[in-house]
Amino acid sequence: MQNKKSITKGDNFEIKTKSSNKNLHKASKEKKDEFYTQLVDIEKELKHYKEQFRDKVVYCNCDDPFESNFFKYFAASFNALGLKKLITTSYNKSPIAGRQLHLFEIEGLKSIKPKDAEPYKIEINEVTDINNDGAINLEDVKQLLRHDKNTVTPLSGNGDFRSEECIEPLKEADIVVTNPPFSLFREYLAQLMEYDKKFLIIGNVNSITYKECFKLIKDNKMWLGASIHSGDREFRVPDDYPLNAAGFRIDSDGHKYIRVKGVRWFTNLDYEERHEDLVPYKEYTPEEYPKYDNYDAINIDKTADIPKDYNGLMGVPITFLDKYNPEQFEIIKFRKGDDDKDLIVNGKFPYFRIIIKKK
């Protein structure tokens, strides 16, 4: 039987959904994991950290400066956040890198054709009301880039975040904010830790299961962000992206968007909500909370089911980290029992569990 496809037309775009087993793992395998974060999701997350950006150098090193919503957000909010400097770089294999160059008409770079998709570095040190419209916004940034050729420079290499010319601005940066390729998440995160940087980045929730990532979470050196705790999020994808995801749409300009499940922000910037206590309401019974066959801890299938009157070891889903307060709970270990095999309960293997206990 063929999969059914439904199409709903709106005023400005066409939404399509179809049944499929294709998902983010296939995108990662094929290296088609270049997803462009929506501005609304950036705004919802960044509002929790605004004071931490004052007088800081922000680096977005996986972003085409002419397309990235990270660049748009920080450029338009440069003065409101009190930034010291904004630096962005792009990768020349990005399918959209440089295509919007003509919108800015960069002085001194007009000979470079948009189709070349060359990587660039943009440095913003000041944003003033250049167009005299009484407001400071992205239009002023466009004017700034148009008239100051020293602000925009082509990169000599390909713009890879691991290249030396992209590591140099990383050394200067105070905070890194971007959406790195999901297939390179571990390598990207390792670089941030090597250079001891504050960061706010997007990744898949299953990144928690990487031993390198889990260790950072266990040691309270990284945690989940404030705004995304469930559901899926919409990302723009390159024009040649195969639309075989569970849900997608194409807007009136032909831009493609897909919905990706299990997306989370990862950060080492603190925020107030992270220290709010989880309030359990259920009571413990041995029947409802069986112990693992190979570890002395009870199994809990949902974070909301953590019992209020149990003080021993508990195995919880990885989504527990959405509610994790390091002052309330201690993370003991991940996934394995006393026999160093995956946790088993009543002869069955639940999906990865984090062993915790109350403080």
Side-chain angles (χ1 to χ4, degrees), residues 89-115:
T89 55
S90 67
Y91 184 47
N92 76 338
K93 291 185 179 180
S94 168
I96 62 172
R99 291 189 181 180
Q100 297 300 312
L101 186 61
H102 61 284
L103 294 180
F104 293 92
E105 299 175 355
I106 305 301
E107 184 70 27
L109 298 177
K110 293 179 181 178
S111 62
I112 299 177
K113 299 178 181 179
K115 68 179 182 180

Side-chain angles (χ1 to χ4, degrees), residues 24-62:
L24 188 60
H25 297 293
K26 186 175 188 297
S28 177
K29 182 178 180 181
E30 295 178 353
K31 299 298 185 287
K32 290 185 178 295
D33 56 355
E34 192 164 2
F35 304 132
Y36 307 110
T37 311
Q38 297 298 291
L39 186 59
V40 63
D41 291 319
I42 296 172
E43 292 172 337
K44 286 180 179 179
E45 183 68 19
L46 266 293
K47 71 179 183 180
H48 296 274
Y49 314 92
K50 286 187 175 180
E51 287 304 314
Q52 299 185 58
F53 282 83
R54 188 163 301 279
D55 201 32
K56 295 296 191 294
V57 176
V58 174
Y59 185 28
C60 306
N61 59 347
C62 292

Side-chain angles (χ1 to χ4, degrees), residues 295-337:
Y295 194 73
D296 187 17
I298 61 173
N299 179 65
I300 299 173
D301 290 326
K302 297 180 180 179
T303 301
D305 292 340
I306 292 176
K308 63 182 180 180
D309 54 351
Y310 189 84
N311 295 317
L313 298 178
M314 300 174 282
V316 293
I318 60 176
T319 50
F320 159 80
L321 294 175
D322 288 321
K323 302 291 185 180
Y324 172 50
N325 175 354
E327 284 89 44
Q328 184 182 16
F329 293 97
E330 178 183 357
I331 295 176
I332 305 301
K333 62 182 300 185
F334 177 59
R335 183 177 174 179
K336 301 294 185 181

Side-chain angles (χ1 to χ4, degrees), residues 45-46 49 176-178 198-202 265-267 269:
E45 183 68 19
L46 266 293
Y49 314 92
V176 177
V177 185
T178 192
K198 294 292 184 180
F199 59 87
L200 181 61
I201 59 177
I202 288 182
W265 290 94
F266 293 81
T267 187
L269 297 172

Side-chain angles (χ1 to χ4, degrees), residues 177-227:
V177 185
T178 192
N179 176 9
F182 285 5
S183 61
L184 297 175
F185 187 85
R186 276 183 281 196
E187 189 171 357
Y188 186 84
L189 181 60
Q191 185 187 76
L192 294 178
M193 302 310 297
E194 178 184 354
Y195 288 94
D196 193 25
K197 295 301 172 181
K198 294 292 184 180
F199 59 87
L200 181 61
I201 59 177
I202 288 182
N204 187 270
V205 68
N206 285 319
S207 299
I208 294 167
T209 65
Y210 302 154
K211 63 180 181 180
E212 304 92 337
C213 296
F214 183 78
K215 186 178 188 307
L216 293 175
I217 292 173
K218 182 178 182 296
D219 294 342
N220 204 31
K221 294 181 179 179
M222 180 177 76
W223 42 88
L224 299 187
S227 65

